[in-house]
Amino acid sequence: MTAPQISTATLLVTCPDRRGLVASLAQVLYGHGVNILDSDQHSDPVAGQFFQRIRFDLAELRTDRTTLERSIDEVAQRFDMTWRMSYSDRRKRMAIFVSRLDHCLYDLLLRHRAGELDCDIRMVISNHEDLRPVADQFGLDFHHFPISPESKREQEGSELELLAALDIDLIALARYMQVLSESFVEQYPNRIINIHHSFLPAFSGARPYRRAYRRGVKLVGATAHYATGELDDGPIIEQSVARASHRDSVDDLVRKGRDIERTVLATAIRAHLEDRILVYENKTVVFE
Amino acid sequence: MTAPQISTATLLVTCPDRRGLVASLAQVLYGHGVNILDSDQHSDPVAGQFFQRIRFDLAELRTDRTTLERSIDEVAQRFDMTWRMSYSDRRKRMAIFVSRLDHCLYDLLLRHRAGELDCDIRMVISNHEDLRPVADQFGLDFHHFPISPESKREQEGSELELLAALDIDLIALARYMQVLSESFVEQYPNRIINIHHSFLPAFSGARPYRRAYRRGVKLVGATAHYATGELDDGPIIEQSVARASHRDSVDDLVRKGRDIERTVLATAIRAHLEDRILVYENKTVVFE
Amino acid sequence: MTAPQISTATLLVTCPDRRGLVASLAQVLYGHGVNILDSDQHSDPVAGQFFQRIRFDLAELRTDRTTLERSIDEVAQRFDMTWRMSYSDRRKRMAIFVSRLDHCLYDLLLRHRAGELDCDIRMVISNHEDLRPVADQFGLDFHHFPISPESKREQEGSELELLAALDIDLIALARYMQVLSESFVEQYPNRIINIHHSFLPAFSGARPYRRAYRRGVKLVGATAHYATGELDDGPIIEQSVARASHRDSVDDLVRKGRDIERTVLATAIRAHLEDRILVYENKTVVFE
Amino acid sequence: MTAPQISTATLLVTCPDRRGLVASLAQVLYGHGVNILDSDQHSDPVAGQFFQRIRFDLAELRTDRTTLERSIDEVAQRFDMTWRMSYSDRRKRMAIFVSRLDHCLYDLLLRHRAGELDCDIRMVISNHEDLRPVADQFGLDFHHFPISPESKREQEGSELELLAALDIDLIALARYMQVLSESFVEQYPNRIINIHHSFLPAFSGARPYRRAYRRGVKLVGATAHYATGELDDGPIIEQSVARASHRDSVDDLVRKGRDIERTVLATAIRAHLEDRILVYENKTVVFE
C-alpha cells in the first residue's frame, strides 16, 4: 500500500512478444524522470503475447502527463502495443449492483471503509428495495430499478444513463440476481465483475446448493469473473473453495458459500482497482 | 492410531432413523463386554437415514465373535439395519491398478511402508509393463494385462479371477487409464476407488489440463470417488484443490494436479481402510 | 441447521473412560422418549477421558425436563461425569467487547443477522466511544467503560455487574485491546473467547505485524481461544492462516490478518453457541 | 517449464533502489541481442533495496557469455549491484543429507525423476546407514558419515571435501537430524535448505509433536529456510500448514507433519533451483 499523498501512475501493456520491448519502455520512462516502483511482466509462449504492468512515481516527472503519454504512444505504435494508463490521483468510480442478499455488499462497503479498496463508491443499484438501508448507513445513493421482462430494456437504458452520468469505471455485481443483457455488458467490457458459486463437478440451472448437497460434494467454491455476453463464462479473475462434509445441510453449504463469495469478489475487485488484471483470449493475467 | 497388538472391531450401520437405535446397539455391545473406543453417528433428516460407526476393543469380549455378530443381527433385523463388521486382526487386502504414471503408485507404497495405510497390498495390476520395476522395488507381485477392445472382456475376466483368488477387498485405481467395464465394477460395489482431476468449471473429454490452461483457471483439483458404471460419477469421497495462476504452463498444472491427486487418493483409501465411509443415494458419509 | 420451531436439547458430558457409559446414557434418554438427532464422542486414551455431545429432540419427551435432568444426574454420579445441558428454546446471551477496530464486530453482527449465530447479542462494551455508531446501526446497547490503570478495578467491577444483570452466557473479545484482570476472567471460565494473531515463528510483545514483516514470514494466522489468567495461553478453539509474500507490506499483513481474525473468531463463537466445545487439561475437544 | 533444448540464463540482481536501474539493465541485455523471457522485480521501500530476476534466451546472443557478463558487471558497478548469473545448460548439483526418515528423500527423488527439479542429484549423505537402499534404487551414491561429538569436526571436514570435489551447489537437509556446525554452514551461505516443523504457538526443544498434542493445536505446519549459524532461524523460504483436531493422536500429527514437510521442502528447493530466491536482512524475496 502506498501512502495516499504520493501521485503514482500505472501502465498496463499488451503486445506481441518481441525483443527490445522492455528496454524501450524502461528507457522512455527513465527519460521522463519517473522512478519505477513495481514492474511485473509475463510472456505467454503459446499465444506469443507479452504483458507488462509498471507502476511508477510521478513526483519527479521532468515533463508532463500529456508529453509522457505521447512518448509512450510512440513506443506503443512501434511494438504494436495496446496500453492504458491510470493515475492514483484520479480514483476509479465504482457502482455496486445488488438484489436482496447483503453479504457481498456489506463486505465491499466495510473493506472500502477500512481502506482496502482504493476507489469511490458512487452508488448502489438494485432491482429490489431491500438493501436501501444498508446504502443509507454508509451514506451512499441507492437507485431502485425494478426489472420485468417487459421493462428490462428500458430500465437497463436508464441504468446506463446513470452510470454514464457519473462516469463509472467499474461495476461490481455483488450477488445481483438478474442477468444483464448482452448490449448492456458490451458497454463495459472487462469492467463488470461478477461472482458466482462453483462446484466440482459443476451444476448448472436452478438451486445449485441443493444439487451440490444431493451430490455430496466435499468442496464448495466461488468464481469471480468479468461479465461477458455468455453468462458465467467470462475471463476468470479469482477462485476459492471451502471444505464441506456430510454434516453440512443445504443451509450450511449456502453459509460456507457466502464466506467464499465475499472474499473472492473482494479480491477480484481489489485486483481490478489496482490495475493488476490484463485480459486476452477470454482469460486473465492477474499480477500480484 | 492404535498400537497393532490390540484387536479391535469396527461396526458400520445404516438404517431408517428411529428412536432407540443408539441405546439398543450400545446395550448389545455392553452386554458382550466390549469397550467402545470411538463412535460416530450421523442422521440425514432429508433422507430419513441414520448412520453409525462404532469401533470397539475385543480384549474383554465375554462371548465370541459369532455370538456377538448374531446378537447384532437380531438388533439389525428389528431396526431394518444394513450392517457390516470388520476386525483389525483381519487386514484388508488391496490391489492397485496402474498404467504408466507412477506418482500415485509410489505415494501409496510409501505411505503403506510408513504405516499410514493399514492393509496388505497384494499386487499391482497394469495394462502396461512400465511400472513393473516399482512393484519389484517394494517386493510386490506385478501382473500385466494389456487391454485392446477385442481382448478387454477376456482380460477383465482374468483379472477378476486373480482378484477373487487373492480375496481382494479393495481396488485402488491409481491413475489407471482404462475404463473398467460395468460388469467388472459391479463385482466390487463401493470397493473400487478412483482418482480424477477436477476443475471449476469442469472439463470433459480429452486433454483436460490443456483445456483448463486455455480457460485460465485459478484452481486445479482432484476428486476421489467410488467407481460406478457411470464413469467419474460415483459417490465422492474426497476432494481438494491447489491454486494456479497465469504463470502456470500446462506442465505446471499437470504437476500441481499430480500433488493433489496423490494426496486425495491416499486420503480416500485411508478412510476406506479404516471403515469410515458409508454410501447411500450415490453419496458418502465419511466419518473423521 | 435446525428449523427454529423444534425444541432440542444438547447434553455435554466428560468423565473417566469406562465401559457401559454410552449404553447407560442412551438408555436413560430412550427411557424418557427423546429422539437422538446427533451424537459425537471422543476418547483421549492418554488422558483416559471420555467426551460426548448428544443433541436430541424434546418433542416427544414423556416426562419433563426436571425429571430428565435428575435421571441424567443419577447416571452422572455413577460414572463420575461432569455434564451440562442446554436447551434451544433458551438462547444464549452474548456480550461483545471491542475497542477501536471494527472488522470483528461487524462480522459478528452480520453473521448474527444472517442467522449464523444462534444467540441474543445483548450489548456491546468498549473502552472507547468509536464503535458506538455500529452498535446503534444494529439496534444494540453500547456501554462505554474507559479504562486507566487507576480505574481498571472499579470499571471491571461495573462491567461484571452489568454482565450479571443481563445474565450473559458468553463474552466475545472482538479485538478488545485491554487485558482483562485475572479475577474478571475467573468469573467466566471457558465463557470468554478471545482472538489474536499467530505467526510461525511466534512473536511476542508489541507491533507483531511489523516484527512478522521484518522476519519475512510466508504465513499470517489467527488463533481463537478461551481466555484464562495467562494471557493468550488458554485452550485453543480454532486456528487458520493466510499466505503472505515479500510483496506484502506491514499494512498488507494487517489486512490479511483481519480477514483471518474475523473468520476464526466467528467459527469459534459458533462452535461455543452450538455446545460443540469441551475443555480439559487446557485444551479443547471441538465436535463438528 | 522450458523445453530442455533452449539455453537460457537467469540473472539475479540486488542493489540500492535508484532511478534508471531497469532501463540500464534492459538496455545492456538488448544490446547483446538477448530476448527476455521473464522478468520480476521488487522494491522494498523500507530497506530501500531493489531486486530483479531476469530470465533470457541465449539463442541469438550476438556476443559471448564472457562479454555479456563483463557488460553486466559494468552496469553493476555503476549501480552498486550484487549480481549472479546462472545458465540452464550448466545444471545445479545437489547433495541430499538424510538421517533415518525417508519421506522427504523419496519425495525429492520422485519429483526429480518426474522432471520437477531441474538439477543433478550427485549423492546422498547420511549419519546412518538406513537409507542406503533408497539411494541404491535410484542409482545414487550414498556416503555414510556417522557423527559423534568427538568425530563431528573431522567428519564434517570429510563431508566438505566431498562436497567440494563434486562441486555441489545446493545442500538439501531432508530431515537430517544432526546440527551442522557454524563453520560448515558458512561454507554454503544461502545454499543449504533445511525443513522443520512449525506450530502456532511455537514449541522449542525436544518432542515437539508431543508438545503440540498436549497444547491441543488446530494446525500443524512446516517451514523451509536457509540454514544459518543460528539453528532454525535462517531466512524463511516457504511455509505451509495442515488442519488438526482433537481426534489426532501424536502419530496423526506426525503423519500430517510429514506431508507438509515434504511439500514445503520440495517447493523451496524448486524455487532455489530456478533462481527465484534473493536473500537480504535475514529474509527472502521468492519470485513466482
Side-chain angles (χ1 to χ4, degrees):
Chain A
M1 284 175 61
T2 319
Q5 69 278 15
I6 305 168
S7 271
T8 62
T10 305
L11 173 64
L12 284 174
V13 165
T14 314
C15 61
D17 202 356
R18 275 171 54 190
R19 208 167 317 232
L21 269 170
V22 175
S24 299
L25 265 180
Q27 201 59 51
V28 163
L29 294 176
Y30 179 59
H32 286 258
V34 307
N35 186 30
I36 295 178
L37 299 169
D38 291 314
S39 169
D40 284 282
Q41 64 181 70
H42 175 64
S43 299
D44 180 331
V46 177
Q49 288 287 305
F50 171 85
F51 309 90
Q52 191 168 19
R53 175 189 186 262
I54 308 176
R55 195 168 68 87
F56 50 91
D57 189 347
L58 293 166
E60 301 184 38
L61 181 63
R62 287 190 204 129
T63 58
D64 57 37
R65 294 183 187 189
T66 309
T67 311
L68 174 63
E69 292 193 12
R70 198 175 305 133
S71 298
I72 290 169
D73 203 52
E74 279 170 27
V75 179
Q77 287 184 26
R78 192 149 27 106
F79 287 98
D80 203 13
M81 288 174 183
T82 306
W83 65 282
R84 68 174 195 269
M85 184 105 89
S86 67
Y87 296 96
S88 66
D89 53 15
R90 196 281 190 195
R91 299 180 91 201
K92 288 189 178 59
R93 284 174 285 268
M94 181 163 75
I96 305 177
F97 278 53
V98 297
S99 290
R100 289 187 159 122
L101 296 169
D102 66 1
H103 59 288
C104 284
L105 176 60
Y106 260 115
D107 194 71
L108 293 178
L109 298 181
L110 290 170
R111 287 181 195 275
H112 183 257
R113 182 185 283 180
E116 292 184 23
L117 302 174
D118 185 25
C119 67
D120 293 328
I121 300 178
R122 300 302 294 264
M123 59 180 161
V124 177
I125 287 179
S126 182
N127 54 338
H128 295 285
E129 277 287 354
D130 306 51
L131 300 184
R132 183 183 292 275
V134 181
D136 288 351
Q137 275 174 30
F138 285 79
L140 291 170
D141 286 345
F142 182 90
H143 300 276
H144 180 209
F145 292 93
I147 308 277
S148 69
E150 297 72 33
S151 72
K152 182 164 183 167
R153 171 184 284 264
E154 194 186 327
Q155 292 289 67
E156 284 196 351
S158 306
E159 288 169 350
L160 284 169
E161 276 175 37
L162 188 58
L163 294 167
L166 290 174
D167 204 6
I168 294 297
D169 297 293
L170 176 66
I171 296 171
L173 304 181
R175 300 294 281 148
Y176 181 63
M177 308 303 278
Q178 181 72 37
V179 179
L180 295 173
S181 70
E182 201 165 331
S183 59
F184 185 108
V185 171
E186 281 167 0
Q187 299 296 308
Y188 289 89
N190 299 331
R191 296 203 287 151
I192 304 175
I193 296 180
N194 189 28
I195 180 76
H196 68 78
H197 49 76
S198 297
F199 301 101
L200 305 160
F203 302 99
S204 46
R207 311 183 82 184
Y209 283 100
R210 179 161 298 275
R211 299 182 65 202
Y213 172 80
R214 285 209 185 122
R215 186 66 184 86
V217 296
K218 305 301 185 192
L219 294 175
V220 299
T223 296
H225 63 96
Y226 284 117
T228 56
E230 284 184 73
L231 184 63
D232 294 348
D233 212 25
I236 297 169
I237 305 169
E238 172 71 2
Q239 304 187 295
S240 188
V241 296
R243 288 191 70 81
S245 83
H246 61 273
R247 296 187 189 274
D248 291 312
S249 65
V250 175
D251 284 346
D252 290 328
L253 296 183
V254 169
R255 172 175 57 80
K256 291 182 173 185
R258 273 200 301 263
D259 266 20
I260 298 297
E261 284 166 4
R262 63 181 193 168
T263 307
V264 167
L265 179 60
T267 302
I269 287 173
R270 186 175 160 85
H272 181 98
L273 292 174
E274 297 177 351
D275 297 296
R276 293 192 277 107
I277 313 177
L278 281 159
V279 176
Y280 73 112
E281 296 183 358
N282 203 39
K283 64 184 187 181
T284 61
V285 169
V286 183
F287 288 121
E288 274 166 26
Chain B
M1 283 175 60
T2 319
Q5 69 278 14
I6 304 169
S7 271
T8 62
T10 304
L11 173 64
L12 283 175
V13 165
T14 315
C15 61
D17 202 356
R18 276 171 53 190
R19 209 167 316 234
L21 270 170
V22 175
S24 299
L25 266 180
Q27 201 59 52
V28 164
L29 295 176
Y30 179 60
H32 286 257
V34 308
N35 186 31
I36 295 177
L37 299 168
D38 291 314
S39 168
D40 283 282
Q41 65 180 71
H42 175 63
S43 299
D44 180 331
V46 177
Q49 288 288 306
F50 171 86
F51 309 89
Q52 192 168 20
R53 174 188 187 264
I54 308 177
R55 196 168 68 86
F56 51 91
D57 189 346
L58 292 167
E60 300 183 40
L61 182 63
R62 288 190 204 130
T63 59
D64 57 38
R65 295 183 188 189
T66 309
T67 312
L68 174 63
E69 292 193 13
R70 198 176 305 132
S71 298
I72 290 169
D73 203 52
E74 280 170 26
V75 179
Q77 288 183 25
R78 190 147 31 102
F79 289 97
D80 203 14
M81 288 174 184
T82 305
W83 66 281
R84 68 174 194 269
M85 185 104 90
S86 67
Y87 297 96
S88 66
D89 52 16
R90 196 281 190 196
R91 299 180 90 201
K92 289 189 177 59
R93 284 174 285 268
M94 181 162 74
I96 305 178
F97 278 54
V98 297
S99 290
R100 290 188 158 120
L101 296 170
D102 66 1
H103 59 288
C104 284
L105 176 60
Y106 260 115
D107 194 71
L108 293 177
L109 299 181
L110 289 170
R111 288 182 194 275
H112 184 257
R113 181 185 285 181
E116 292 184 23
L117 303 174
D118 185 25
C119 67
D120 293 328
I121 300 178
R122 300 302 293 263
M123 59 181 160
V124 177
I125 287 179
S126 183
N127 55 338
H128 295 285
E129 278 286 353
D130 306 51
L131 301 185
R132 184 183 291 276
V134 180
D136 288 351
Q137 275 174 28
F138 286 80
L140 291 170
D141 286 344
F142 182 91
H143 300 277
H144 180 208
F145 292 94
I147 309 277
S148 68
E150 297 71 34
S151 71
K152 182 164 183 168
R153 171 183 282 265
E154 194 185 329
Q155 292 288 67
E156 285 195 350
S158 307
E159 288 168 351
L160 284 169
E161 275 175 38
L162 188 58
L163 294 167
L166 290 174
D167 205 5
I168 294 297
D169 297 293
L170 176 65
I171 297 171
L173 304 180
R175 302 292 283 147
Y176 182 63
M177 309 304 278
Q178 180 73 35
V179 179
L180 295 173
S181 70
E182 201 164 330
S183 60
F184 185 109
V185 172
E186 282 167 0
Q187 299 295 309
Y188 289 88
N190 300 330
R191 297 203 286 151
I192 305 175
I193 296 181
N194 188 28
I195 180 75
H196 69 78
H197 49 75
S198 297
F199 301 101
L200 306 160
F203 302 99
S204 47
R207 310 184 83 185
Y209 283 101
R210 180 163 298 276
R211 298 183 65 204
Y213 171 79
R214 285 208 185 120
R215 186 67 184 83
V217 296
K218 305 301 185 193
L219 293 175
V220 300
T223 296
H225 64 96
Y226 284 117
T228 58
E230 284 182 73
L231 183 63
D232 293 347
D233 211 26
I236 297 169
I237 304 169
E238 172 70 2
Q239 303 186 294
S240 188
V241 296
R243 290 191 68 80
S245 83
H246 61 272
R247 296 187 189 272
D248 290 313
S249 65
V250 175
D251 284 345
D252 291 327
L253 297 182
V254 169
R255 171 175 56 81
K256 292 182 173 184
R258 273 200 303 263
D259 266 20
I260 298 297
E261 284 167 4
R262 63 181 193 169
T263 308
V264 167
L265 179 61
T267 302
I269 286 173
R270 187 175 160 84
H272 181 98
L273 292 174
E274 296 177 352
D275 297 294
R276 293 192 277 106
I277 312 178
L278 281 159
V279 176
Y280 73 112
E281 297 183 358
N282 203 38
K283 64 184 187 180
T284 61
V285 169
V286 183
F287 290 120
E288 275 166 24
Chain C
M1 282 176 60
T2 321
Q5 68 278 15
I6 304 169
S7 270
T8 62
T10 305
L11 174 64
L12 284 175
V13 165
T14 314
C15 61
D17 202 357
R18 277 171 53 190
R19 210 168 316 236
L21 270 171
V22 175
S24 299
L25 265 181
Q27 202 59 50
V28 164
L29 295 176
Y30 179 59
H32 286 258
V34 307
N35 187 29
I36 294 178
L37 300 169
D38 291 314
S39 169
D40 284 282
Q41 63 179 73
H42 174 63
S43 299
D44 180 331
V46 177
Q49 289 288 306
F50 171 85
F51 309 89
Q52 191 168 20
R53 175 189 186 263
I54 308 176
R55 198 168 65 87
F56 51 90
D57 189 346
L58 293 166
E60 300 183 41
L61 181 64
R62 288 190 204 130
T63 58
D64 55 39
R65 294 183 189 190
T66 308
T67 311
L68 174 63
E69 292 193 12
R70 198 176 305 134
S71 300
I72 289 169
D73 203 52
E74 280 169 26
V75 179
Q77 289 183 25
R78 190 148 30 104
F79 288 97
D80 202 13
M81 288 175 182
T82 304
W83 66 281
R84 68 174 194 268
M85 185 106 89
S86 67
Y87 296 97
S88 67
D89 52 15
R90 195 282 191 194
R91 299 179 89 201
K92 289 191 179 58
R93 283 174 286 268
M94 182 163 72
I96 305 178
F97 278 53
V98 297
S99 290
R100 289 189 158 117
L101 296 168
D102 67 1
H103 60 286
C104 284
L105 176 60
Y106 259 115
D107 194 71
L108 293 177
L109 298 181
L110 290 170
R111 288 182 194 274
H112 183 257
R113 183 186 281 179
E116 291 184 22
L117 302 175
D118 185 25
C119 67
D120 292 328
I121 300 178
R122 299 302 292 264
M123 58 180 161
V124 177
I125 286 179
S126 183
N127 55 337
H128 295 285
E129 277 287 353
D130 307 51
L131 301 183
R132 183 182 292 277
V134 181
D136 288 350
Q137 275 174 29
F138 285 80
L140 291 171
D141 286 344
F142 182 90
H143 299 277
H144 180 207
F145 292 93
I147 308 276
S148 68
E150 296 72 34
S151 71
K152 183 164 182 168
R153 171 183 282 265
E154 194 186 327
Q155 292 291 65
E156 284 196 352
S158 306
E159 288 168 352
L160 284 169
E161 275 174 37
L162 188 58
L163 294 166
L166 290 174
D167 205 6
I168 293 298
D169 296 294
L170 176 65
I171 297 171
L173 304 182
R175 300 293 283 146
Y176 181 63
M177 307 303 278
Q178 180 73 36
V179 179
L180 294 174
S181 69
E182 202 166 328
S183 59
F184 186 109
V185 172
E186 281 167 1
Q187 299 295 310
Y188 288 89
N190 299 330
R191 297 203 286 150
I192 305 176
I193 296 181
N194 188 30
I195 180 76
H196 68 78
H197 49 76
S198 297
F199 301 101
L200 306 159
F203 302 100
S204 47
R207 312 184 83 183
Y209 283 101
R210 180 163 297 275
R211 297 183 66 201
Y213 172 80
R214 285 209 185 123
R215 186 68 184 84
V217 296
K218 305 302 184 191
L219 294 175
V220 298
T223 297
H225 64 97
Y226 284 117
T228 56
E230 285 184 71
L231 183 65
D232 292 349
D233 211 27
I236 297 169
I237 304 169
E238 172 71 1
Q239 303 186 294
S240 188
V241 295
R243 287 191 69 80
S245 83
H246 61 274
R247 295 187 190 273
D248 290 313
S249 65
V250 175
D251 285 347
D252 290 328
L253 297 183
V254 169
R255 171 175 56 79
K256 291 183 173 184
R258 274 200 301 264
D259 266 22
I260 298 296
E261 284 167 3
R262 63 181 194 171
T263 308
V264 167
L265 178 61
T267 302
I269 287 174
R270 189 176 159 85
H272 181 99
L273 293 174
E274 296 177 352
D275 297 296
R276 293 192 278 106
I277 313 178
L278 281 159
V279 176
Y280 73 112
E281 298 184 355
N282 203 38
K283 63 184 188 179
T284 62
V285 169
V286 183
F287 290 120
E288 274 166 24
Chain D
M1 283 175 59
T2 320
Q5 68 278 14
I6 304 168
S7 271
T8 62
T10 304
L11 173 64
L12 284 175
V13 166
T14 315
C15 61
D17 202 356
R18 276 171 54 189
R19 210 168 315 235
L21 271 170
V22 175
S24 299
L25 266 180
Q27 201 59 48
V28 163
L29 295 176
Y30 180 58
H32 287 257
V34 308
N35 186 29
I36 295 177
L37 299 168
D38 291 315
S39 169
D40 284 283
Q41 65 180 71
H42 174 63
S43 299
D44 180 330
V46 177
Q49 288 287 306
F50 171 86
F51 310 89
Q52 191 168 20
R53 174 188 186 263
I54 308 176
R55 197 169 66 88
F56 52 91
D57 189 345
L58 292 166
E60 300 183 40
L61 182 63
R62 287 189 205 131
T63 58
D64 56 38
R65 294 182 189 190
T66 308
T67 311
L68 174 64
E69 292 193 13
R70 198 176 304 135
S71 298
I72 289 169
D73 203 52
E74 279 169 28
V75 179
Q77 288 184 25
R78 192 149 27 105
F79 288 97
D80 202 15
M81 288 174 183
T82 305
W83 66 281
R84 68 174 194 267
M85 185 106 89
S86 66
Y87 296 96
S88 67
D89 52 16
R90 195 280 190 194
R91 299 181 90 202
K92 289 190 178 59
R93 285 175 284 268
M94 181 162 73
I96 305 179
F97 278 54
V98 297
S99 290
R100 289 188 159 119
L101 297 169
D102 66 1
H103 59 287
C104 285
L105 175 61
Y106 259 116
D107 193 71
L108 293 177
L109 299 181
L110 290 170
R111 288 182 193 275
H112 183 257
R113 183 185 282 178
E116 292 184 23
L117 302 175
D118 184 25
C119 66
D120 292 328
I121 300 179
R122 299 302 293 265
M123 58 180 162
V124 177
I125 287 180
S126 182
N127 54 338
H128 295 285
E129 277 287 354
D130 306 51
L131 302 184
R132 183 183 292 276
V134 181
D136 288 351
Q137 275 174 28
F138 286 79
L140 290 171
D141 286 344
F142 182 91
H143 300 277
H144 180 208
F145 292 94
I147 308 275
S148 68
E150 295 72 34
S151 71
K152 183 163 183 169
R153 171 183 283 263
E154 194 186 329
Q155 293 290 66
E156 285 196 350
S158 306
E159 287 169 350
L160 284 169
E161 275 175 37
L162 188 58
L163 294 166
L166 290 174
D167 205 6
I168 294 298
D169 296 293
L170 176 65
I171 297 171
L173 304 181
R175 301 292 283 149
Y176 180 63
M177 308 304 278
Q178 180 72 37
V179 179
L180 295 173
S181 69
E182 201 165 330
S183 60
F184 186 109
V185 173
E186 280 166 1
Q187 299 296 309
Y188 288 88
N190 300 329
R191 297 202 286 150
I192 304 175
I193 296 180
N194 189 29
I195 181 75
H196 69 77
H197 49 76
S198 298
F199 302 100
L200 306 160
F203 302 100
S204 47
R207 312 183 82 183
Y209 283 101
R210 181 162 296 275
R211 297 182 66 201
Y213 171 79
R214 287 208 184 123
R215 186 67 184 85
V217 297
K218 305 302 184 190
L219 294 175
V220 299
T223 297
H225 64 97
Y226 284 118
T228 57
E230 286 183 71
L231 183 65
D232 292 349
D233 211 27
I236 297 170
I237 304 170
E238 172 71 1
Q239 303 186 295
S240 188
V241 295
R243 287 191 69 81
S245 83
H246 61 273
R247 295 187 190 274
D248 290 313
S249 65
V250 175
D251 284 347
D252 290 328
L253 297 183
V254 169
R255 171 176 55 81
K256 291 183 173 184
R258 274 199 300 264
D259 266 21
I260 298 296
E261 284 167 4
R262 63 181 193 170
T263 309
V264 167
L265 179 61
T267 302
I269 287 174
R270 188 176 159 84
H272 181 99
L273 293 174
E274 296 177 352
D275 296 296
R276 293 192 277 106
I277 313 179
L278 281 159
V279 177
Y280 73 112
E281 298 184 355
N282 203 39
K283 62 185 189 180
T284 61
V285 168
V286 184
F287 289 121
E288 275 165 23

